[in-house]
Amino acid sequence: MSSKKKEIKIEALMSVGIDIGKDVFHLVGFDPDGNVVVRKKIKRMALEMTFRELPSCIVGMEACLSAHFVSRSLRKMGFEPRIIPAIYVKPFNKGQKNDYNDAEAIAEAALRPNLKIVPEKSQDQLDLQALHRVRSRLVSRRTATINQIRAFLIEQGITVRKGLRALKNSFLIILEERKDEISPRMRKILIGLYGDWLWMDDRIDAVSSEIEGISRTEENCVNVMTIPGIGPMISTAMVAAIGTGDAFDRGRDFAAWVGLVPRQYSTGGRTVLGRITKRGSRYLRMLFVQAAKVILMRPHRWPDFSFGEWLIRAEPRMHRNKLAVALANKLARTAWSVLHHGTTFDAPRDEVAVGV
């Protein structure tokens, strides 16, 4: 009798929350009355087998590694997967943190009608995103290697002026001219680090070339690159992150997701705006600010752009960094509009500044 009653409840399953782990998944499911009818721990390899025994329903999961793969797998089986940002799951978490409580919170959050969910990424988007992450890691490692070379040279009493090119041009000359001051062991260490630096340069160039090649063949990237200051890096990073931008209703929503809007604290009809929120994609935010700074370095081109008059009026009254962030916000909103509507920017291509 009890098993039959449980079976009836499972057939009326309304939502399931999955707490995705490296090897183990925790599942919690609710029926329409809010009763927990599924509560189990499964191995990753048993995911499809487990869901074949469940009726089609809403399946929620936090945005994390492998969430898009799990979402695609469940969608093929007839389920309705929803990838939810972790910050929106937190208010539904009850009691102390454990995997079952997390899965229960995800199942509850997935039922909210006005909840913003993460769009499911295609395999092409994941591949493009992986290229950007590899390039970002290589650039970070290269910077760390260069700083280590400078630190070891300073310990030998040798300083080199700022700039990557200055160090690269003078490195071998320093080793030759200061060979009496630098010990053989330190010389070997420095040459090894220099070799790492050159290898990373080659890898960064190879990955960058691959990204640029994709930007020239992808129609959405080509459209976004018609915007001043935006080049292969931003266009491909946007397409990898948001596809065609359907998850956002307007450009300012995308700018808020990137973290380029002021932090708001409003109460009693009084609105206080602070610094930018820095929420969302840190990588995209960095790229947009870099693009804005590229445009600000070329004031003679401002009149050529539709937002040039705004820049000319804003430049005298705003700090340079604040102006760069405001321009990055405008570029982000414009980029979303171009991407979402499949159009091009109003400026001719030959008048566009060099982009990031």
Side-chain angles (χ1 to χ4, degrees):
M1 181 73 71
S2 61
S3 61
K4 187 176 181 181
K5 184 181 291 186
K6 186 175 182 182
E7 186 179 348
I8 294 173
K9 287 186 176 181
I10 289 179
E11 288 177 357
L13 194 63
M14 189 172 184
S15 71
V16 176
I18 308 179
D19 184 65
I20 299 177
K22 184 177 180 181
D23 299 314
V24 177
F25 293 175
H26 290 76
L27 311 181
V28 173
F30 293 110
D31 65 6
D33 296 328
N35 301 314
V36 175
V37 293
V38 174
R39 180 183 171 89
K40 61 172 62 178
K41 179 172 70 172
I42 63 172
K43 293 288 187 180
R44 175 180 286 269
M45 299 301 294
L47 180 69
E48 290 190 15
M49 186 185 304
T50 301
F51 274 89
R52 284 198 191 100
E53 301 173 357
L54 301 178
S56 297
C57 62
I58 296 172
V59 181
M61 63 200 78
E62 283 189 351
C64 62
L65 294 176
S66 79
H68 296 278
F69 171 79
V70 173
S71 177
R72 288 201 303 269
S73 300
L74 294 177
R75 190 176 298 279
K76 291 178 182 176
M77 298 173 63
F79 291 89
E80 184 184 342
R82 295 181 180 178
I83 304 175
I84 308 170
I87 192 172
Y88 295 151
V89 175
K90 190 174 182 180
F92 296 93
N93 213 322
K94 300 184 290 290
Q96 301 187 41
K97 176 175 171 55
N98 59 59
D99 295 328
Y100 281 118
N101 282 348
D102 290 345
E104 184 176 333
I106 294 169
E108 290 189 28
L111 293 173
R112 304 302 299 173
N114 59 347
L115 188 70
K116 292 288 186 181
I117 62 175
V118 178
E120 186 180 293
K121 286 184 172 63
S122 65
Q123 188 58 48
D124 290 337
Q125 284 180 276
L126 293 176
D127 293 345
L128 189 52
Q129 187 180 64
L131 283 174
H132 275 276
R133 289 177 175 176
V134 168
R135 184 182 180 276
S136 178
R137 177 183 59 82
L138 289 170
V139 170
S140 178
R141 283 186 57 190
R142 181 178 66 180
T143 302
T145 302
I146 293 171
N147 290 339
Q148 193 168 49
I149 291 175
R150 286 184 177 275
F152 289 157
L153 288 176
I154 289 175
E155 288 181 348
Q156 306 300 314
I158 303 170
T159 58
V160 183
R161 68 178 185 274
K162 291 182 179 180
L164 181 149
R165 188 172 300 175
L167 179 59
K168 179 175 284 189
N169 293 338
S170 60
F171 180 78
L172 296 178
I173 298 174
I174 290 173
L175 291 185
E176 181 63 27
E177 292 181 351
R178 303 290 188 95
K179 58 184 178 182
D180 295 335
E181 304 175 26
I182 302 176
S183 66
R185 180 170 293 152
M186 178 57 68
R187 178 186 178 89
K188 183 178 179 180
I189 292 172
L190 290 171
I191 291 175
L193 290 173
Y194 186 68
D196 294 343
W197 178 4
L198 297 181
W199 177 84
M200 282 184 279
D201 274 346
D202 293 338
R203 286 281 290 125
I204 291 170
D205 291 341
V207 175
S208 299
S209 298
E210 188 171 355
I211 292 174
E212 290 173 8
I214 294 173
S215 70
R216 289 192 293 268
T217 58
E218 171 65 39
E219 182 182 358
N220 290 325
C221 295
V222 173
N223 291 339
V224 174
M225 285 193 295
T226 60
I227 302 172
I230 293 183
M233 293 300 156
I234 293 180
S235 62
T236 52
M238 273 193 69
V239 170
I242 66 172
T244 56
D246 295 335
F248 305 99
D249 297 329
R250 57 186 69 85
R252 68 176 63 183
D253 292 341
F254 171 67
W257 177 75
V258 176
L260 289 169
V261 298
R263 188 181 300 276
Q264 183 180 7
Y265 181 82
S266 301
T267 181
R270 179 171 175 266
T271 301
V272 179
L273 299 180
R275 299 181 177 181
I276 59 173
T277 61
K278 295 187 178 181
R279 292 178 63 178
S281 175
R282 179 181 180 183
Y283 181 68
L284 268 177
R285 182 171 63 252
M286 174 195 69
L287 291 179
F288 275 114
V289 172
Q290 286 181 352
K293 290 183 177 180
V294 169
I295 294 176
L296 294 181
M297 291 170 60
R298 297 169 172 82
H300 62 280
R301 289 200 169 185
W302 294 355
D304 298 334
F305 309 133
S306 60
F307 52 80
E309 293 185 6
W310 171 83
L311 263 179
I312 294 171
R313 292 195 306 269
E315 196 269 339
R317 59 184 174 83
M318 296 177 69
H319 187 274
R320 196 73 169 180
N321 292 340
K322 190 174 182 180
L323 180 61
V325 173
L327 179 56
N329 184 302
K330 186 177 288 290
L331 290 176
R333 299 200 311 267
T334 305
W336 176 87
S337 180
V338 167
L339 183 63
H340 184 66
H341 296 100
T343 58
T344 58
F345 189 66
D346 56 2
R349 190 67 183 93
D350 55 356
E351 293 181 358
V352 174
V354 176
V356 177

